[in-house]
Amino acid sequence: MEKYYILFNPHAGSGKAEDEAKILATKLGAENSIYDMTAVASYKELLTDAEAEIIILGGDGTLNRFINDTYELNLQNKIYIYPIGTGNDFLRDLGKETTTEPVEITKYLKDLPVCEIDGKKQYFINGVGYGIDGYCCEEGDRQRASGVEKVNYTGIAIKGILFHFKPRKVKVTVDGVEYNFKRAWLAPCMNGRFYGGGIMPTPEQDRLNKERNISVMVYHGLGRLGALLLFPKTFKGEHVKKVKKIHIMTGKEIIVEYDKPCAAQIDGETVLNVTKCRFISSKIAEKEKVEQEEAMA
């Protein structure tokens, strides 16, 4: 008989995640155990059955949390995502954002890139927004903390572009080659094609590309009105036609440095007051890990 570990994020699905987990468990009709992800002290001690399949209930933020809590365990289990979160860009990239069934994602959770901010390293599944997108997450978090139940991110973005967010100078270094841009609004680094609820900054990025390269898109050189008018095109990837205002670069190591701090968001999770982000492919990350272990031996 099949066995499942069903892991739910209590903050996903408008607070109904646990109920959804119980409904799914009944639907599966197999041996299963349901766990609140925020209450798991050790996945190493919990996920002891390598034959059991893991189902994660939540969105992109939930998946990011699970990845960073378990990546070093090298789990051999089959892993599924059951989307109940508000952000499902990962499944959108797979063409399965409307699914009502668990989707196996095991192969997509290997060889992941790393984001490094102030010495702290974190794996990411979709992308890391850095600029107006990070500002939107920061303002959304502020509104939610003040009691706003339904945050309007589109409204935040429009007001941010027109009034509040100030574009920066940005230096982007890709595999050792330096590029400089003025009036940069966005500089997300991407593992997949989508982030931010359907924005597609890098239409050609393939998360399973052979070299496991990552991409950065710089949205720059526009005034407030121009930036606002072009922004809707990012949802269909049509912004890339503006070759003088959009630069996409691909490599194994990407460093993005703003001249003034701003917020970043890693798969939807906000990090404040960031000046520099370093992104490395899984191949670089593994090489650095081995070198560190050898140095400590």
Side-chain angles (χ1 to χ4, degrees), residues 88-118:
N88 295 306
D89 285 305
F90 174 69
L91 286 177
R92 181 177 284 109
D93 197 28
L94 273 54
K96 298 180 180 293
E97 68 270 28
T98 59
T99 183
T100 57
E101 300 289 336
V103 177
E104 186 183 352
I105 58 174
T106 312
K107 68 179 179 180
Y108 301 103
L109 305 188
K110 302 180 185 300
D111 302 319
L112 292 175
V114 171
C115 169
E116 181 179 353
I117 299 175
D118 294 331

Side-chain angles (χ1 to χ4, degrees), residues 7-291:
L7 310 174
F8 71 91
N9 177 357
H11 305 297
S14 301
K16 298 180 180 179
E18 185 172 5
D19 292 337
E20 292 283 353
K22 292 177 180 177
I23 292 171
L24 178 61
T26 301
K27 182 178 179 180
L28 291 172
E31 182 183 352
N32 54 70
S33 300
I34 300 174
Y35 299 96
D36 178 345
M37 295 176 68
T38 62
V40 176
S42 170
Y43 279 108
K44 184 176 182 179
E45 294 179 5
L46 178 69
L47 306 175
T48 55
D49 187 347
E51 298 298 321
E53 299 181 352
I54 300 170
I55 302 178
I56 302 165
L57 278 73
D60 295 329
T62 302
L63 187 55
N64 176 280
R65 177 172 182 156
F66 177 79
I67 288 166
N68 281 282
D69 286 345
T70 64
Y71 195 86
E72 302 299 329
L73 299 179
N74 295 313
L75 296 174
Q76 300 304 306
N77 312 71
K78 286 185 178 181
I79 302 174
Y80 297 77
I81 183 77
Y82 186 73
I84 60 170
T86 55
N88 295 306
D89 285 305
F90 174 69
L91 286 177
R92 181 177 284 109
D93 197 28
L94 273 54
K96 298 180 180 293
E97 68 270 28
T98 59
T99 183
T100 57
E101 300 289 336
V103 177
E104 186 183 352
I105 58 174
T106 312
K107 68 179 179 180
Y108 301 103
L109 305 188
K110 302 180 185 300
D111 302 319
L112 292 175
V114 171
C115 169
E116 181 179 353
I117 299 175
D118 294 331
K120 181 181 178 181
K121 295 182 178 180
Q122 182 172 335
Y123 297 98
F124 62 99
I125 186 78
N126 293 323
V128 180
Y130 194 15
I132 184 65
D133 42 7
Y135 163 81
C136 289
C137 287
E138 178 183 13
E139 177 61 17
D141 290 347
R142 187 194 66 77
Q143 290 187 16
R144 195 175 292 106
S146 68
V148 177
E149 293 185 2
K150 190 173 183 179
V151 176
N152 184 346
Y153 284 99
T154 300
I156 292 174
I158 292 173
K159 292 179 181 179
I161 293 174
L162 288 179
F163 305 110
H164 304 302
F165 181 79
K166 295 182 179 180
R168 278 105 160 128
K169 293 180 181 179
V170 64
K171 178 172 72 173
V172 180
T173 306
V174 181
D175 293 341
V177 181
E178 183 180 310
Y179 306 85
N180 289 278
F181 303 92
K182 296 180 179 179
R183 293 187 65 82
W185 294 89
L186 286 170
C189 186
M190 303 297 297
N191 179 48
R193 292 177 298 160
F194 295 96
Y195 83 137
I199 299 172
M200 184 167 48
T202 53
E204 300 301 318
Q205 175 65 20
D206 176 8
R207 65 175 65 247
L208 293 182
N209 73 84
K210 185 177 180 180
E211 296 299 318
R212 285 298 195 269
N213 286 339
I214 47 182
S215 298
V216 62
M217 184 275 286
V218 185
Y219 188 104
H220 68 100
L222 291 159
R224 292 189 179 276
L225 183 59
L228 181 63
L229 292 175
L230 181 60
F231 188 72
K233 296 183 181 296
T234 62
F235 287 87
K236 294 185 178 180
E238 296 176 351
H239 61 296
V240 299
K241 297 176 182 178
K242 297 289 185 178
V243 295
K244 292 184 178 180
K245 306 300 180 182
I246 303 295
H247 278 73
I248 297 176
M249 296 157 281
T250 300
K252 291 179 173 57
E253 180 185 42
I254 297 172
I255 301 172
V256 180
E257 300 174 79
Y258 278 116
D259 65 335
K260 296 179 181 179
C262 61
Q265 60 90 5
I266 305 174
D267 287 336
E269 301 300 316
T270 311
V271 183
L272 301 177
N273 299 316
V274 179
T275 302
K276 178 179 179 180
C277 286
R278 177 178 180 246
F279 309 95
I280 53 177
S281 71
S282 58
K283 293 188 176 182
I284 298 295
E286 184 61 30
K287 179 182 177 182
E288 291 186 355
K289 180 181 177 182
V290 170
E291 291 174 348

